[in-house]
Amino acid sequence: MFLPYCWLYSRPFIESFEETPMLVAVLTYMGYGILTIFGYLRDFLRARKIEKCHIAREREEQKDFVPLYQDFENFYTRNLYMRIRDNWNRPICSVPADKVDLVERVSYDYNWTFSHTGRVVKDVINMGSYNYLGFSENKGSCADAVAEVTLKYGAGVGSTRQEMGNLDGHEELEKLVARFLGVESAMAFGMGFATNSMNIPALAGKGCLILSDELNHASLVLGARLSGSTIRVFKHNNMQSLEKLLRDAIVHGQPRTHRPWKKILILVEGIYSMEGSIIRLPEVIALKKKYKAYLYLDEAHSIGALGGRGRGVVDYFGLDPTDVDIMMGTFTKSFGAAGGYIGGKKELIDYLRSHSHSAVYATSMSPPVVEQIITSMKCIMGEDGTTIGTERIQQLAENTVYFRRRLREMGFIIYGNNDSPVVPLMVYMPAKIGAFGREMLKRNIGVVVVGFPATPIIESRARFCVSAAHTKEMLDQVSEAHRGKPLIYKKTRKLQKVSPAAELLHENVFDGRNVTNP
């Protein structure tokens, strides 16, 4: 039987995932049911030419061929997504910093098409960008350095690293990333998504086993599928589920032949961007060592955003970076740039340089982007001679705790870890997805709303991304914007002051789903 490795944690690990209230779940299913019924009614009207259908459809002469479009996907897009389509793809016309300017658009055909009014909605508080440390800016040391490099090297390279696209800046960046992570070597890639999807196939193949968290990002899922390895999924952040799969893999081996697996690779993320949860890395590493598996850690959202030095989830738990076999991350969030990296032993990186499709066939990273990463990373490390990086890391941590506490005190149901800058706020019902996004924009606040199929059908949510660039006044304005209109389900029970003993019990919550330690 799996026993929690409580002794591995040097600090309380608190996560909250409150189950959907029964009444809310029933009303949510009823809402989707009503939308579905009306959707079929409208499709009937469209088939009789009573209502116009704007979306792509199969031609009559193609009815005997394999369909290009899946019926249910088309149905969902026509009748559900179109109702709230105005909440996504809003064009901005400014730097995606703490505030943004939005181009106003209107639709005269129920969100089938949009047209711009020519008006700009200014100073919208940006709670949707992954600008965790506030480096997405057009002024300051980073912007000045990028402008200088652009004049010297130009905007693009036009070649791969192995041909004529390997610049001195790329070499400097990779050495800096390795030093930042505390590993032997590192390699940079021009696209974060491709860092996962193109490198996992180089690390695993036929005869290998990949154990993947059920909530892993699409890039990890795609990379695992492209590898040709056997894939088994364990419950999100559930160490009992992971250990059971590891034990079964060791005992039974490969299907039919029962030969030992060539390699067992565990895929996890640092911060899960839709749940706001943090991986239980100390326990994952303990299981990895126990069963002689390999660990692939995706720190896209955690690098720069967690830890006292901004080194990610490894720094957050005070662990040894060498205990993680493959350290992956992106430069698109905390560094305000683009691309991704993989860090680890020198032998691993040397192997990827010649076997990774993303390294061999992809165009090199743009010089201005390289300089943005170098400058922001040196700022975080304090090598620019200032304390700006340290101050931003501390400010992000304070903003995260403050904003989460304000929402919780107001009675809203929020998911995730107390230290996660990704804050999902549950809205549940389909009608409230669109209403929430529109009402927040009316109050000059830009948020991301997410529903089915990106989330479970009864767990639609709004997702706030906290930044070091946000001031306390901005966060207060965002939290106060929820008052006055009953847009979201709130807890009806009153907040009670608990005793120190109860607080201690709460700090020892281990399973994240309101299950305490045995």
Side-chain angles (χ1 to χ4, degrees):
M1 179 180 177
F2 178 84
L3 292 177
Y5 293 94
C6 304
W7 53 274
L8 294 174
Y9 293 86
S10 58
R11 57 190 298 170
F13 189 85
I14 304 172
E15 289 192 347
S16 174
F17 296 93
E18 185 168 328
E19 292 186 4
T20 306
M22 180 60 70
L23 176 61
V24 177
V26 171
L27 293 176
T28 301
Y29 280 119
M30 287 178 59
Y32 277 105
I34 292 171
L35 289 173
T36 302
I37 292 172
F38 275 92
Y40 281 114
L41 175 61
R42 295 185 68 183
D43 277 356
F44 174 80
L45 297 176
R46 293 181 185 121
R48 297 295 184 273
K49 309 298 183 183
I50 301 175
E51 180 179 339
K52 185 178 180 181
C53 183
H54 302 264
I55 206 164
R57 293 183 297 176
E58 303 286 348
R59 294 180 178 178
E60 186 65 25
E61 56 267 27
Q62 292 177 318
K63 63 181 180 180
D64 295 328
F65 292 86
V66 176
L68 295 174
Y69 309 107
Q70 295 186 19
D71 288 340
F72 179 75
E73 289 184 4
N74 261 3
F75 175 85
Y76 185 87
T77 302
R78 285 193 305 270
N79 300 298
L80 281 80
Y81 171 70
M82 280 298 170
R83 293 175 178 268
I84 54 177
R85 186 182 170 214
D86 57 301
N87 283 280
W88 293 280
N89 303 316
R90 290 171 177 152
I92 70 171
C93 54
S94 69
V95 177
D98 55 339
K99 292 184 178 181
V100 294
D101 297 339
L102 296 181
V103 178
E104 187 181 64
R105 60 180 185 173
V106 293
S107 176
Y108 300 103
D109 52 6
Y110 304 102
N111 293 340
W112 289 101
T113 61
F114 294 97
S115 58
H116 297 158
T117 65
R119 178 175 171 267
V120 175
V121 183
K122 290 188 172 294
D123 296 329
V124 176
I125 298 178
N126 182 9
M127 298 298 296
S129 297
Y130 304 129
N131 184 28
Y132 296 129
L133 293 181
F135 282 114
S136 180
E137 52 193 0
N138 58 358
K139 58 184 178 180
S141 58
C142 290
D144 295 339
V146 168
E148 184 179 341
V149 166
T150 304
L151 293 175
K152 181 179 179 180
Y153 290 94
V157 177
S159 181
T160 65
R161 292 283 297 273
Q162 294 188 350
E163 296 173 324
M164 298 295 292
N166 190 33
L167 305 180
D168 55 348
H170 295 131
E171 302 281 348
E172 180 186 357
L173 170 62
E174 291 177 344
K175 292 178 181 177
L176 182 64
V177 170
R179 192 152 45 87
F180 181 72
L181 298 175
V183 296
E184 292 181 8
S185 185
M187 186 175 182
F189 303 88
M191 181 181 178
F193 191 98
T195 305
N196 278 332
S197 59
M198 293 290 100
N199 282 295
I200 293 176
L203 298 171
K206 188 176 181 181
C208 297
L209 174 65
I210 291 179
L211 303 180
S212 177
D213 189 292
E214 66 178 343
L215 297 183
N216 274 344
H217 189 262
S219 59
L220 289 169
V221 174
L222 178 60
R225 290 175 178 173
L226 291 176
S227 70
S229 304
T230 300
I231 305 171
R232 290 174 184 165
V233 179
F234 61 92
K235 295 179 181 179
H236 174 55
N237 233 355
N238 189 308
M239 297 304 107
Q240 293 93 327
S241 177
L242 175 58
E243 182 169 28
K244 184 180 185 302
L245 291 179
L246 283 167
R247 189 189 301 113
D248 290 345
I250 298 298
V251 172
H252 300 294
Q254 299 185 42
R256 294 189 299 276
T257 64
H258 299 293
R259 292 176 181 174
W261 295 99
K262 295 179 180 178
K263 190 185 301 178
I264 299 177
L265 183 64
I266 303 171
L267 300 184
V268 294
E269 296 185 45
I271 292 179
Y272 289 82
S273 61
M274 204 60 70
E275 305 295 318
S277 58
I278 298 176
I279 184 64
R280 300 176 181 278
L281 191 58
E283 298 173 69
V284 176
I285 290 177
L287 289 176
K288 181 211 82 158
K289 292 180 176 179
K290 180 178 179 181
Y291 292 96
K292 304 297 187 293
Y294 294 93
L295 176 59
Y296 186 109
L297 174 63
D298 179 345
E299 290 216 79
H301 288 269
S302 55
I303 192 68
L306 281 182
R309 302 176 302 156
R311 262 62 163 190
V313 69
V314 176
D315 182 27
Y316 176 78
F317 287 111
L319 303 173
D320 186 353
T322 58
D323 286 336
V324 180
D325 302 288
I326 304 103
M327 299 186 69
M328 178 271 171
T330 64
F331 304 118
T332 56
K333 280 82 176 175
S334 296
F335 303 96
Y341 67 82
I342 283 185
K345 293 184 177 179
K346 187 177 184 302
E347 294 82 1
L348 168 70
I349 304 304
D350 290 343
Y351 174 82
L352 289 177
R353 290 190 192 279
S354 57
H355 289 80
S356 168
H357 291 292
S358 189
V360 177
Y361 299 108
T363 303
S364 299
M365 189 181 291
S366 169
V369 174
V370 172
E371 187 60 28
Q372 167 71 22
I373 301 167
I374 291 175
T375 310
S376 59
M377 190 171 289
K378 285 184 176 179
C379 183
I380 295 173
M381 299 170 72
E383 294 185 3
D384 62 339
T386 70
T387 60
I388 294 176
T390 303
E391 291 170 359
R392 293 193 182 193
I393 293 170
Q394 183 178 355
Q395 187 63 53
L396 174 62
E398 292 176 359
N399 285 353
T400 297
V401 173
Y402 176 76
F403 187 63
R404 281 181 168 273
R405 187 177 70 245
R406 280 299 306 272
L407 292 180
R408 195 174 287 112
E409 287 174 351
M410 294 171 66
F412 295 109
I413 298 177
I414 59 175
Y415 274 9
N417 193 286
N418 285 355
D419 296 322
S420 169
V422 179
V423 186
L425 186 149
M426 307 310 292
V427 299
Y428 297 114
M429 300 179 192
K432 291 185 178 180
I433 300 173
F436 184 82
R438 297 183 192 112
E439 289 296 329
M440 292 297 280
L441 186 58
K442 287 180 182 178
R443 293 158 172 78
N444 257 34
I445 300 167
V447 300
V448 175
V449 287
V450 191
F452 179 81
T455 67
I457 196 168
I458 58 172
E459 293 185 10
S460 299
R461 65 200 65 179
R463 186 181 62 180
F464 299 93
C465 293
V466 182
S467 170
H470 292 140
T471 63
K472 183 175 178 292
E473 289 72 23
M474 291 180 187
L475 299 178
D476 285 338
Q477 184 177 340
V478 173
S479 58
E480 289 296 327
H482 303 326
R483 296 186 186 274
K485 293 207 175 208
L487 287 176
I488 318 168
Y489 174 82
K490 290 188 180 184
K491 301 175 187 177
T492 56
R493 63 178 182 272
K494 295 181 180 179
L495 295 175
Q496 298 178 349
K497 189 173 181 179
V498 297
S499 64
E503 288 181 350
L504 181 61
L505 177 62
H506 179 63
E507 287 183 352
N508 287 330
V509 170
F510 197 85
D511 185 55
R513 297 260 173 188
N514 298 331
V515 180
T516 54
N517 282 342

